[in-house]
Amino acid sequence: MNIRIIPKLDIKGPNLVKGVHLEGLRVLGKPWWFAKYYYEQGADELIYMDAVASLYDRNSILEFVRQTSKEIFIPITVGGGLRTITDIREALRAGADKVSINTAAIKSPNLISEAANRFGSSTIVVGIEAQKQMDGSYEAFMENGREPTGKDVFAWAKQVEELGAGEIFLTSIGQEGTGKGYDIELTRRVAESVSIPVIAVGGAGTPEHVHDVISKGKADAVSMASMLHYNFIEHCDINKEDFCEEGNIIFLQSGKTSYRMNQASIGDIKRHLLENAVSCRPTA
Amino acid sequence: MNTAMTANGVIIDYGMGNLFSIKHACEQAGIEAKVTADVTALMQADLAILPGVGAFGDAMKTLHALDLVEPIKDFAATGKPLVGICLGQQILLEGSSEFGSHKGLGLIPGQVVRFDNPKIGETTLKVPNVGWSQIWDTKSEAAANASDTARPARWANTPLRSIDNGTYMYFVHSYYAVPDDDAVALTWTSYGDTVFCSSLMKGNVIAFQHHPERSATEGLSIYDNIKTMATTALRG
């Protein structure tokens, strides 16, 4: 089995953003730069998350999906703010291959089965945002990590599988954006409790972290954002003036290329995996 | 060869799966693709693509309800390329055991079966198989994960003529085709210890379990080759 490496693009209006613990979003540039670069660098899939979809309208991300799906020929998953069957259909019609739903699935679990029946299980990814509790348990959150749900992550994971989800996109809120490594225990416990693929996200800082969440965490696929984004910004010749002046652009204007964040490219990650006996599709 | 010639394609729209990525891949290759269930358009097309995501039984039920079963068979009989993708591959066979027993289009003799406990060592793999796997010319290369990637001679007059042996393609599936005759298997792929037929070709009927339209540059070149086959057939 070949592990998939899936860059995650958090999109806010016209910009690609990145935060820490899903908060404090900083503008890093235009989503298109990143999407196209990762495609050419050998990403196995891409995931676009609309960072503020529940607060704003969704037209900008759908337009982005429409544009990119004409030029990017790997699977694209779209998430963030999808609430209804109609929302899902719109995302798929815009060119998404899969959708990721979280808040709406928690509020109405039947949406999972209804969507799976209508569009096929393989099209429906359920996002689970997990927050470790003082007693060591994990609680599922919604609304981009802002709202507790009272649901136990592992019980919820089994339930979404039974309802027909095709994959689980598992975020560790505690590790997200920190670069300190994935939550191995969380990932392993979810991956072992379901028979559908689990995509781990949150905390990647080095290729070793990616290897750990596969070998120890039993992840079937791995997603990451900051580590790749800061690498891209440092190595690519982009015109940093060429972005929309909206949101927190202080970082871009500062001319800094990194921010206490380790970085690696998709090629670095895949080479490290292959050297350590984890199979994946090699980059060219 | 007149590569500037465009081909008119029909992507058969029966409500199953993401037709947009297929349409975009066709456009890249110079195939003017119409997404439709219209039989007249189908019969006039230079090539037809049968997509599909979901369940075998539902797909066949929908094709029957839309009166598309006989037209698809008629199209296959014209000798023009008919390309099945994913579930669209599976329904070209005679039947499937998915959720009960279902009858397929029967254009390729054989059955569709579910992964039965695929393993690596003692570890059972997850089903569906989601991700990138290699396509190989022979069963034994797939089983051994061979290292010789020279272009197989057998692929010369097929949509795979431009790609290397062992090229990675994107798969999402729980079931796979088991043709009665191994000779119609164009490629083989392994998932753990299970080796399965990942593409088929019987005359003008071509089918892929994987998604060439989601398999980056190599996948797109398969569409280029399909277009060439269709336009070559046109010029007689």
Side-chain angles (χ1 to χ4, degrees), chain A residues 46-220:
Chain A
L46 294 176
I47 182 158
Y48 303 162
M49 290 300 283
D50 198 347
V52 285
S54 43
L55 308 175
Y56 294 82
D57 81 287
R58 213 172 0 255
N59 289 333
S60 54
I61 197 166
L62 290 184
E63 190 49 42
F64 182 62
V65 174
R66 232 168 259 131
Q67 284 172 7
T68 56
S69 66
K70 288 182 187 156
E71 295 182 52
I72 289 179
F73 293 93
I74 53 175
I76 296 172
T77 302
V78 174
L82 302 172
R83 294 283 189 260
T84 62
I85 291 288
T86 309
D87 292 345
I88 294 171
R89 185 185 294 114
E90 271 184 26
L92 297 174
R93 288 195 75 90
D97 298 284
K98 318 181 207 183
V99 294
S100 179
I101 51 177
N102 174 15
T103 304
I106 285 173
K107 288 184 174 165
S108 146
N110 285 337
L111 179 64
I112 301 172
S113 45
E114 206 182 320
N117 282 335
R118 196 156 315 191
F119 305 110
S121 275
S122 61
T123 306
I124 308 302
V125 180
V126 172
I128 299 181
E129 291 162 359
Q131 180 76 272
K132 195 170 189 173
Q133 304 300 300
M134 298 295 275
D135 63 0
S137 66
Y138 285 89
E139 182 178 349
F141 274 56
M142 59 181 185
E143 303 287 4
N144 247 335
R146 289 190 295 269
E147 296 284 333
T149 67
K151 280 183 193 286
D152 171 71
V153 162
F154 310 105
W156 175 232
K158 281 201 86 66
Q159 195 185 344
V160 308
E161 176 183 21
E162 282 158 17
L163 288 166
E167 292 178 80
I168 290 173
F169 189 74
L170 178 65
T171 305
S172 159
I173 298 172
Q175 298 305 103
E176 207 277 333
T178 65
K180 291 178 180 165
Y182 291 87
D183 187 329
I184 304 290
E185 184 203 351
L186 166 72
T187 309
R188 183 182 49 77
R189 287 179 62 191
V190 173
E192 287 179 350
S193 65
V194 296
S195 61
I196 53 177
V198 173
I199 306 163
V201 65
T206 65
E208 289 76 18
H209 291 154
V210 178
H211 181 260
D212 284 348
V213 79
I214 297 161
S215 61
K216 298 179 195 149
K218 311 289 178 203
D220 299 286

Side-chain angles (χ1 to χ4, degrees), chain A residues 1-2 4 39 44-45 69-70 72-75 93 96-98 122 191 194-196 220 281-282, chain B residues 18 20-21 24-25 28 53 120 126-127 130-133 168 170 172 191 213-217 220:
Chain A
M1 189 189 81
N2 295 313
R4 289 168 286 154
Y39 170 55
D44 296 315
E45 302 185 22
S69 66
K70 288 182 187 156
I72 289 179
F73 293 93
I74 53 175
R93 288 195 75 90
D97 298 284
K98 318 181 207 183
S122 61
V194 296
S195 61
I196 53 177
D220 299 286
R281 164 183 166 244
Chain B
N18 179 357
F20 301 93
S21 56
H24 292 151
Q28 283 267 320
V53 168
I120 295 179
K126 296 197 169 174
V127 175
V130 184
W132 295 73
S133 300
Y168 285 81
Y170 188 80
V172 184
Y191 185 51
E213 68 283 356
R214 296 286 85 180
S215 300
T217 319
L220 290 180

